[in-house]
Amino acid sequence: MGIIIDSLDHLVLNVHDVAVSAAWYQRVLGMHREDFTPPGASNARTALKFGRQKMNLRPASASIDEWFTGRAVAPGSSDLCFLTKSEPPEVVAHLHGLDVAIEKGPVERQGALGTLRSVYCRDPDGNLIEIASYKG
């Protein structure tokens, strides 16, 4: 029968500037920064924790020897959806209060578990960031 995937543990986001990206995700999405050095690595890395997941920020300038990653390193090419318990008007007000431009929304989209109410913006590298809550 093979294996069954249960959940996502972490993802790696290629970025131009780790400090700038980390600050944005902390300020805008309330993520918690954690700097760590994995076994066998010579350089510290930065992760952003949220819920039971984390997102590692990989500098696009890092060599494949420093940080094993996907074949194409392209900051700004990701489309990420983050879930919140906040209602769409709260998300809009939060983003406006931080002077973060809204690209689209609130709009309804199909998520993994049903209908999402989504608001879209972009991070410092231009990645599309969807901030969504399930329609209850």
Side-chain angles (χ1 to χ4, degrees):
M1 177 167 156
I3 65 168
I4 298 173
I5 299 301
D6 182 57
S7 63
L8 179 71
D9 180 77
H10 71 278
L11 59 92
V12 177
L13 188 64
N14 289 293
V15 299
H16 287 293
D17 187 316
V18 170
V20 168
S21 292
W24 190 90
Y25 281 95
Q26 288 176 287
R27 181 176 64 93
V28 177
L29 299 184
M31 295 182 180
H32 300 282
R33 181 180 175 153
E34 177 183 276
D35 295 310
F36 66 102
T37 304
S42 57
N43 296 320
R45 297 184 181 179
T46 298
L48 295 164
K49 291 188 160 190
F50 56 100
R52 297 179 61 195
Q53 295 77 225
K54 74 175 184 170
M55 178 170 65
N56 295 330
L57 299 180
R58 180 190 182 278
S61 61
S63 74
I64 194 76
D65 293 330
E66 291 176 82
W67 195 321
F68 187 62
T69 192
R71 289 191 176 131
V73 176
S77 64
S78 295
D79 178 344
L80 304 172
C81 178
F82 295 103
L83 294 175
T84 181
K85 293 187 191 301
S86 298
E87 295 293 320
E90 294 174 278
V91 174
V92 168
H94 173 73
L95 294 175
H96 281 161
L98 295 173
D99 291 323
V100 174
I102 294 173
E103 295 272 324
K104 185 179 261 193
V107 294
E108 288 191 1
R109 296 290 187 251
Q110 189 62 37
L113 303 174
T115 302
L116 292 170
R117 297 164 305 162
S118 303
V119 177
Y120 293 86
C121 63
R122 294 199 183 268
D123 75 3
D125 286 302
N127 294 301
L128 185 61
I129 304 300
E130 179 179 358
I131 305 168
S133 58
Y134 276 101
K135 191 171 181 177

